[in-house]
Amino acid sequence: MTAVVVVGAGQAGLSAGYFLPRFGVDDYILLDHYPGPGGAWSRRWPSLTLAAANHVHDLPGWGLHEALGEHCDQVPAADGVARYFGEYERRFAIPVRRPAHVSTVTRTGDADRPYAVTGIADGQEFTVRPAAVINCTGTWDRPFWPTVPGAGSFAGRQLHAHEYRAAEPFAGLTVAVVGAGITAVQLLVEIAAVADTVWFSRREPEWDDRPFDPDRGRRAVARVEERVRAGLPPGSVVSVTGLPLTEPMRRAREAGILAWNPMFRALGPDGVVLTDGTTRHVDVVLWCTGFRYSMDHLAPLGLRAPGGGIVMTGRLATEVAGEPRLHLLGYGPSASTIGANRAGREAARAVAELVG
């Protein structure tokens, strides 16, 4: 019987898959619901290159540039990461079963095999009863749509960044971009080349032109970690660090593209209703409002704390409190690619001590 089930084969899942045998666990499997390698990266919009993407950190043991070559920065991230992850799986013989759709994780009452993982693979239902579960499902499949009065009356098009593929379909239109994160500003600049744009967000964006050194990164992650250890929703690292004021972003600000507006109070048939009650015409609303952790399959476990999050513990806050054989990677402080690597190592080490 399988000792460890890893749910998801993105950055965190592959990191866990790399480290498990190195800590003595050879009986494990990764269940991935995507049809091919690359995880959520394979769904990114085609114009997002590896150079423009939020940094894709090297997986342990074999780096991105080693796999794709030193001059791969202009490769579309969706293609480059999928190729990298696929070659990584083969190089280290990581056992990935796909497409495998996990529907539920439940408790069995068996101390040695405490969970039952059920789902569908190859059209057939399956049930695995592992000694431990490392969940690495990330956020990409749970786009967050805020509730806005009048949203149903808007006659134009609404889409989430999750659905975005290219700017050309918006040529000649007026597009409202909503959100204060890196994705919002990247897409705003791209769309502004072909359309009129207007930028809204609930929180005024904070720009930072300082280099993002390791100390700043550690402090930001520590603040997110503090929240999840208290059982609060994790929030984002960007909300702590601010937006990086790179040279392209500086030029876009000078050109008036990144002129921020406070969040509109409603949508109407013709556009957005501003805080002063006037309506500004827009043809499209692009919601760059982030994602939530994909964990519907974990719902039977009742993990939510009164604070709205999940109480996490362990050295890197990967372990669910009271559930030493259940680890969540990509949740809270391990949401970045470098954080996912570290979390993969720690989760593999922790479960190996229990099941090895």
Side-chain angles (χ1 to χ4, degrees), residues 222-239:
R223 290 180 62 180
V224 176
E225 182 175 334
E226 183 180 0
R227 290 182 59 83
V228 299
R229 288 187 185 275
L232 299 173
S236 69
V237 172
V238 171
S239 68

Side-chain angles (χ1 to χ4, degrees), residues 165-176:
R165 290 296 173 268
E168 284 69 26
F170 309 124
L173 302 178
T174 299
V175 181

Side-chain angles (χ1 to χ4, degrees), residues 256-318:
I257 295 170
L258 296 178
W260 174 79
N261 296 276
M263 185 62 186
F264 49 83
R265 71 186 194 189
L267 279 167
D270 191 49
V272 297
V273 181
L274 304 178
T275 55
D276 64 3
T278 62
T279 296
R280 179 163 184 173
H281 170 77
V282 299
D283 302 291
V284 179
V285 178
L286 174 60
W287 298 98
C288 300
T289 43
F291 299 82
R292 298 294 182 265
Y293 192 66
S294 297
M295 57 185 301
D296 288 352
H297 55 292
L298 301 178
L301 302 178
L303 302 178
R304 292 286 185 188
I310 301 169
V311 180
M312 304 298 294
T313 188
R315 194 171 71 86
L316 296 182
T318 64

Side-chain angles (χ1 to χ4, degrees), residues 14 36-38 59-60 62-69 79-94 96 98:
L14 292 180
L59 283 161
W62 196 46
L64 179 70
H65 287 89
E66 291 178 271
L68 303 183
D79 298 334
V81 176
R83 181 179 153 199
Y84 174 40
F85 283 9
E87 293 185 10
Y88 189 89
E89 291 174 15
R90 291 186 288 273
R91 185 181 185 90
F92 295 106
I94 296 175
V96 182
R98 62 165 61 90

Side-chain angles (χ1 to χ4, degrees), residues 13-355:
L14 292 180
S15 176
Y18 173 88
F19 284 115
L20 279 167
R22 284 156 180 80
F23 290 121
V25 179
D26 294 315
D27 183 15
Y28 72 101
I29 190 170
L30 278 69
L31 302 176
D32 189 45
H33 80 115
Y34 287 107
W41 285 102
S42 65
R43 297 296 189 264
R44 297 304 201 268
W45 55 96
S47 61
L48 181 69
T49 63
L50 288 172
N54 234 0
H55 182 60
V56 181
H57 198 75
D58 290 343
L59 283 161
W62 196 46
L64 179 70
H65 287 89
E66 291 178 271
L68 303 183
E70 290 296 326
H71 305 290
C72 64
D73 285 351
Q74 296 310 311
V75 173
D79 298 334
V81 176
R83 181 179 153 199
Y84 174 40
F85 283 9
E87 293 185 10
Y88 189 89
E89 291 174 15
R90 291 186 288 273
R91 185 181 185 90
F92 295 106
I94 296 175
V96 182
R97 185 179 184 184
R98 62 165 61 90
H101 308 287
V102 174
S103 55
T104 61
V105 178
T106 56
R107 295 187 183 86
T108 64
D110 183 335
D112 294 326
R113 300 279 172 172
Y115 302 108
V117 180
T118 62
I120 297 176
D122 302 319
Q124 301 293 320
E125 294 184 358
F126 68 83
T127 298
V128 186
R129 293 182 56 161
V133 174
I134 301 176
N135 194 76
C136 307
T137 45
T139 63
W140 183 253
D141 294 321
R142 287 283 309 277
F144 174 67
W145 293 74
T147 300
V148 177
S153 70
F154 179 55
R157 180 185 177 190
Q158 296 185 62
L159 73 159
H160 194 276
H162 179 270
E163 307 165 71
Y164 179 86
R165 290 296 173 268
E168 284 69 26
F170 309 124
L173 302 178
T174 299
V175 181
V177 177
V178 183
I182 292 173
T183 296
V185 296
Q186 286 179 331
L187 298 187
L188 186 61
V189 171
E190 184 169 308
I191 294 169
V194 299
D196 292 329
T197 57
V198 56
W199 184 21
F200 299 94
S201 69
R202 179 181 55 82
R203 175 175 54 85
E204 184 171 2
E206 296 181 10
W207 296 94
D208 197 322
D209 59 1
R210 295 174 296 170
F212 192 77
D213 57 59
D215 284 342
R216 288 186 62 215
R218 281 190 288 269
R219 288 195 298 271
V221 169
R223 290 180 62 180
V224 176
E225 182 175 334
E226 183 180 0
R227 290 182 59 83
V228 299
R229 288 187 185 275
L232 299 173
S236 69
V237 172
V238 171
S239 68
V240 177
T241 62
L243 290 167
L245 187 57
T246 62
E247 188 55 36
M249 291 299 126
R250 193 186 303 276
R251 291 196 298 269
R253 289 185 75 187
E254 292 171 352
I257 295 170
L258 296 178
W260 174 79
N261 296 276
M263 185 62 186
F264 49 83
R265 71 186 194 189
L267 279 167
D270 191 49
V272 297
V273 181
L274 304 178
T275 55
D276 64 3
T278 62
T279 296
R280 179 163 184 173
H281 170 77
V282 299
D283 302 291
V284 179
V285 178
L286 174 60
W287 298 98
C288 300
T289 43
F291 299 82
R292 298 294 182 265
Y293 192 66
S294 297
M295 57 185 301
D296 288 352
H297 55 292
L298 301 178
L301 302 178
L303 302 178
R304 292 286 185 188
I310 301 169
V311 180
M312 304 298 294
T313 188
R315 194 171 71 86
L316 296 182
T318 64
E319 179 186 322
V320 176
E323 307 257 0
R325 295 177 183 237
L326 176 61
H327 288 252
L328 307 184
L329 277 57
Y331 180 80
S334 60
S336 68
T337 57
I338 188 170
N341 274 3
R342 294 169 178 161
R345 180 185 182 94
E346 181 58 27
R349 184 202 308 273
V351 300
E353 292 174 354
L354 295 172
V355 309

